[in-house]
Amino acid sequence: MDDINTLRRILREAKVIAVVGLSADWFRPSFFAAKYMQEHGYRVIPVNPKYAEILGEKCYPSLCDIHQPVDIVDVFRKTADVLPIAEDAIKIGAKVLWQQLGVRNEEAAAKARAAGLQTVMDRCVKIEHGRLFGGLNWVGVNTKVISAKRPRWLAY
């Protein structure tokens, strides 16, 4: 699912994002994207067995260790690693399986969709949030979303 209205609805309705593969290194794309989403009102739950805490949040070794509702499972892992993550996303009752830029596992997406999850592939939550809710166009990036109206919902 990658049409503008669906992406906008997913990001507007979501409140909690579990980021699988989140790094504590500030220069990594996962850290940058998670920090941006956190600063825009989302609760970010890090999932990485290497760390105890990232961005001030407790870090979990796997999705199944999270015992609270998760809206989006954001995957910063190799395409080959996505299928077991999708299975865990189904187990925890997540609403969306989101595969980051460069990650496109069709089998995992099909399994998630069959279980009732929405799926997004090969897109970045940070880029999509900025593009759809007015962040990128303020710095001169062509978002290809043409409108004379300001977005009704801004997280900042």
Side-chain angles (χ1 to χ4, degrees), residues 64-122:
C64 292
D65 294 315
I66 300 171
H67 300 291
Q68 56 190 301
V70 171
D71 297 315
I72 298 174
V73 172
D74 186 13
V75 183
F76 274 94
R77 296 295 310 266
K78 293 181 280 187
T79 298
D81 298 340
V82 178
L83 185 57
I85 295 167
E87 291 167 348
D88 286 350
I90 293 165
K91 284 179 194 170
I92 68 167
K95 297 175 185 169
V96 179
L97 176 68
W98 190 300
Q99 299 178 52
Q100 276 293 332
L101 285 175
V103 182
R104 189 172 189 87
N105 188 314
E106 297 284 350
E107 183 183 358
K111 191 166 195 169
R113 276 193 299 274
L117 279 74
Q118 297 176 77
T119 62
V120 178
M121 291 188 288
D122 197 20

Side-chain angles (χ1 to χ4, degrees), residues 1-153:
M1 297 189 191
D2 59 0
D3 64 278
I4 289 172
N5 290 330
T6 301
L7 293 172
R8 184 177 282 130
R9 183 183 43 72
I10 288 170
L11 291 171
R12 185 177 42 245
E13 292 174 359
K15 303 292 181 230
V16 179
I17 304 172
V19 183
V20 179
L22 178 55
S23 172
D25 296 328
W26 67 269
F27 52 86
R28 301 290 301 175
S30 61
F31 185 91
F32 192 72
K35 184 171 175 59
Y36 172 91
M37 297 307 283
Q38 194 178 51
E39 290 175 354
H40 286 81
Y42 295 86
R43 166 93 194 282
V44 171
I45 300 175
V47 179
N48 190 329
K50 292 182 184 178
Y51 306 103
E53 182 179 296
I54 302 174
L55 292 169
E57 294 283 344
K58 178 182 177 185
C59 194
Y60 294 88
S62 75
L63 284 173
C64 292
D65 294 315
I66 300 171
H67 300 291
Q68 56 190 301
V70 171
D71 297 315
I72 298 174
V73 172
D74 186 13
V75 183
F76 274 94
R77 296 295 310 266
K78 293 181 280 187
T79 298
D81 298 340
V82 178
L83 185 57
I85 295 167
E87 291 167 348
D88 286 350
I90 293 165
K91 284 179 194 170
I92 68 167
K95 297 175 185 169
V96 179
L97 176 68
W98 190 300
Q99 299 178 52
Q100 276 293 332
L101 285 175
V103 182
R104 189 172 189 87
N105 188 314
E106 297 284 350
E107 183 183 358
K111 191 166 195 169
R113 276 193 299 274
L117 279 74
Q118 297 176 77
T119 62
V120 178
M121 291 188 288
D122 197 20
R123 290 189 178 260
C124 174
V125 291
K126 180 216 172 289
I127 292 170
E128 294 306 319
H129 184 275
R131 180 173 78 99
L132 298 172
F133 295 107
L136 291 180
N137 61 350
W138 292 343
V139 291
V141 176
N142 180 3
T143 63
K144 297 181 183 167
V145 177
I146 301 170
S147 175
K149 296 180 181 178
R150 294 294 251 178
R152 291 185 194 176
W153 176 82

